[in-house]
Amino acid sequence: MDQQNKIDIKNIPVHVEVHQPKSSQGGSYAPRDRIYVRAVKGLHQAIRRYMGFVFMALFMLLPWLQYNGHQAILLDITEQKFNIFALTLWPQDFTILAWIFIIAAYALFFITAFYGRVWCGYLCPQSVWTFIFIWFEEKIQGTRNQRMKLDADAWSAGKFAKKAATHLCWVAFSLLTSLIFVGYFTPVGPLFAEFFTLQASFWAVVSVLFFTLCTYGNAGWMREIMCTHICPYARFQSAMFDKDTFTVTYDEKRGENRGPRSRKDKDYKDKGLGDCIDCNLCVQVCPTGIDIRNGLQYECINCGACIDACDDTMTKMGYPTGLISYTTEHSLNGKPTKVLRPKLLGYLLVLITVCAAFAWTLYSRVPFEMNIIRDRGALFRISNDGLIENTYTLSISNKSQYSVSYRLTVNADIALNWIGPQQVTLEGGETRSVPISLVMEPDATTAKALSIHFSVSQADQQQELLQDSTFFTGN
């Protein structure tokens, strides 16, 4: 066999090492060790805080906005209509909601393929609420070391007061955000007033308390468990990664071998040491408690906290920053990073396509609807005047938020006389049944049935909706 074409065989160890759970007093084991997140400042944390503040402010303020005399965003499930400023969506408009979810999914895929799991670290509600809860801990219980000491100390009045104040703030913030969240589905002003005066409906109270409990449990107690064990995104995100994806990565070639040294030690490389001084700050600031120096791990949420902590240490030591950074595998190996690559362009193309389809769906949407119901008692009847008569009920729905006048007409190959109202005015969201009759002369046609076309249009003729039906002649 040609030695140049020989395939190297890689030996795979068959030994499996079993890691036993840590034992604790009493014979049971803890499912996880508590993570005490250390506060850190830096560029990435400033961006994360500002983005979290902006989107949290939007979340809290949007339900209170008014538009045309009603709540600007109200997803009223009981009435089966979603008001989003001037747009009202009904169950028939499910396609629009489907497009919104598809756009969100492909935008997430595109961002992940380009910059890793930054959604999780910067905008995911679980991460945002967790960082807010940690902020309450820092303000009430102190720094990381102070919180660890407080938990290790025996219970006292001071410890109880700090713990109680922390949980009270957690519950209060959970209740506030839950009320606002439920306020997207029911009028938010009356909800607040009725909830605190004990006049809210049963389901409103149950919904608020349920989301309060979920928020308190997720951000206060579960935290990283949601990211590492429950959230499905952590499991399939690697399918979108490649060697050109920017992720939080430790430069092993530059950092190893790690070890402590003084700032004045300029000959550390001669001792076989790399730039990592093994301060463990990257571990202490990580909200999921991983060591980024162990390589890419699915628990990493790409929040950049370890980057800021490491850059601060490198600056103090007088070393170049970037030992931990957003970089690609190709870049670490000295190869050029391909930003515009088939996978990324494919996600972008699909994203643009679904955005265009969403825009076209909105543009072509007719804000009214008509259903035709024939008289079930008889296909036709002979009137007292000897005319052939067919009876219909036109169900007209105004899907807009405004009062609109509609004009009703019919088109056929022969002349048909219309008996009933030909113009109706409906309030926003109103549906009305309009009974009408069509009549013709007995000798107008020899056909047994005629194809006819009902038309409903706005009085200003901006849009028109056509629907086919049949006129039976009795021949």
Side-chain angles (χ1 to χ4, degrees):
M1 181 183 292
D2 189 354
Q3 293 295 324
Q4 294 181 351
N5 298 325
K6 183 178 180 180
I7 301 176
D8 295 331
I9 299 177
K10 181 179 179 180
N11 292 324
I12 301 177
V14 296
H15 172 69
V16 177
E17 184 177 352
V18 179
H19 298 275
Q20 297 292 340
K22 297 180 181 179
S23 297
S24 62
Q25 298 178 359
S28 61
Y29 63 90
R32 66 177 178 125
D33 295 328
R34 177 165 182 183
I35 298 174
Y36 296 87
V37 181
R38 184 188 185 114
V40 60
K41 294 181 179 180
L43 173 63
H44 300 92
Q45 297 317 291
I47 294 175
R48 180 186 59 76
R49 290 191 185 99
Y50 287 135
M51 292 180 67
F53 176 81
V54 170
F55 283 93
M56 180 62 73
L58 288 174
F59 166 75
M60 291 189 172
L61 293 177
L62 281 177
W64 298 96
L65 296 180
Q66 296 291 311
Y67 180 84
N68 194 32
H70 61 80
Q71 189 169 316
I73 299 180
L74 180 58
L75 313 178
D76 195 335
I77 297 177
T78 57
E79 295 292 333
Q80 298 185 10
K81 64 177 181 179
F82 292 176
N83 286 332
I84 306 175
F85 290 91
L87 178 66
T88 298
L89 301 179
W90 300 84
Q92 304 91 321
D93 300 313
F94 178 79
T95 305
I96 295 177
L97 295 177
W99 283 126
I100 292 175
F101 288 124
I102 294 173
I103 290 172
Y106 275 99
L108 184 61
F109 298 162
F110 174 77
I111 293 297
T112 302
F114 179 62
Y115 232 75
R117 211 174 156 190
V118 289
W119 157 260
C120 296
Y122 289 81
L123 288 178
C124 174
Q126 173 68 21
S127 299
V128 173
W129 262 259
T130 296
F131 281 119
I132 291 174
F133 276 40
I134 293 175
W135 180 85
F136 280 120
E137 284 186 346
E138 293 172 350
K139 296 303 179 183
I140 298 172
Q141 301 180 24
T143 63
R144 176 179 185 270
N145 292 335
Q146 290 173 332
R147 298 199 302 274
M148 294 174 66
K149 182 179 182 302
L150 181 67
D151 284 349
D153 290 343
W155 279 99
S156 63
K159 178 176 179 178
F160 177 81
K162 290 182 178 180
K163 289 290 185 178
T166 301
H167 287 272
L168 181 62
C169 290
W170 287 358
V171 172
F173 188 76
S174 300
L175 178 61
L176 172 63
T177 54
S178 297
L179 280 166
I180 292 174
F181 179 74
V182 175
Y184 279 90
F185 301 91
T186 188
V188 65
L191 174 65
F192 269 76
E194 294 171 359
F195 184 85
F196 289 108
T197 57
L198 304 181
Q199 296 178 350
S201 66
F202 171 79
W203 288 113
V205 173
V206 169
S207 300
V208 170
L209 295 181
F210 173 76
F211 288 113
T212 299
L213 180 62
C214 290
T215 305
Y216 172 75
N218 289 346
W221 293 95
M222 299 184 70
R223 294 190 179 176
E224 77 284 352
I225 291 180
M226 292 295 297
C227 303
T228 58
H229 297 292
I230 299 178
C231 178
Y233 180 49
R235 298 296 180 175
F236 69 77
Q237 60 163 336
S238 59
M240 290 168 272
F241 284 12
D242 54 36
K243 294 184 179 181
D244 293 300
T245 299
F246 288 87
T247 58
V248 176
T249 309
Y250 167 70
D251 190 346
E252 184 178 357
K253 294 179 181 179
R254 174 187 160 189
E256 301 297 321
N257 292 316
R258 69 186 76 158
R261 80 294 304 265
S262 68
R263 297 185 186 181
K264 298 180 180 180
D265 188 357
K266 304 300 181 183
D267 300 325
Y268 63 94
K269 291 189 177 180
D270 295 335
K271 301 175 184 178
L273 296 175
D275 284 355
C276 179
I277 66 173
D278 204 19
C279 64
N280 275 333
L281 288 179
C282 57
V283 180
Q284 296 177 19
V285 301
C286 179
T288 58
I290 65 171
D291 189 341
I292 194 63
R293 296 172 295 180
N294 293 334
L296 181 63
Q297 299 153 76
Y298 77 90
E299 297 92 342
C300 177
I301 61 174
N302 272 27
C303 65
C306 55
I307 298 178
D308 292 331
C310 186
D311 283 351
D312 183 60
T313 300
M314 293 294 102
T315 301
K316 291 178 179 178
M317 295 296 297
Y319 302 164
T321 59
L323 180 59
I324 302 176
S325 63
Y326 284 101
T327 189
T328 66
E329 185 177 343
H330 275 156
S331 180
L332 288 177
N333 294 329
K335 299 178 181 179
T337 297
K338 298 178 181 178
V339 176
L340 299 178
R341 54 194 187 276
K343 177 188 287 188
L344 195 65
L345 294 176
Y347 285 137
L348 180 60
L349 178 61
V350 175
L351 181 60
I352 293 174
T353 302
V354 295
C355 286
F358 172 70
W360 172 253
T361 303
L362 280 182
Y363 175 77
S364 59
R365 176 178 178 266
V366 179
F368 52 90
E369 191 174 76
M370 174 177 61
N371 290 313
I372 303 173
I373 304 173
R374 288 190 53 88
D375 183 6
R376 298 180 181 178
L379 295 179
F380 68 95
R381 70 185 184 90
I382 306 298
S383 69
N384 295 332
D385 298 331
L387 302 177
I388 307 299
E389 180 179 359
N390 283 208
T391 304
Y392 308 84
T393 299
L394 307 184
S395 178
I396 314 298
S397 297
N398 179 7
K399 297 164 61 175
S400 71
Q401 301 173 6
Y402 311 96
S403 175
V404 181
S405 294
Y406 299 99
R407 184 170 177 267
L408 309 176
T409 58
V410 65
N411 295 318
D413 293 335
I414 63 173
L416 295 176
N417 294 325
W418 183 290
I419 302 176
Q422 285 196 270
Q423 183 161 325
V424 293
T425 301
L426 303 182
E427 299 297 325
E430 181 184 358
T431 298
R432 185 182 303 175
S433 295
V434 181
I436 64 102
S437 295
L438 298 178
V439 297
M440 77 168 193
E441 296 289 341
D443 56 353
T445 181
T446 58
K448 294 182 178 180
L450 297 174
S451 294
I452 60 176
H453 312 282
F454 283 100
S455 169
V456 55
S457 60
Q458 293 174 319
D460 54 10
Q461 297 291 330
Q462 287 184 352
Q463 289 179 303
E464 183 180 20
L465 187 64
L466 298 175
Q467 190 163 340
D468 297 336
S469 187
T470 304
F471 184 93
F472 292 97
T473 64
N475 293 327

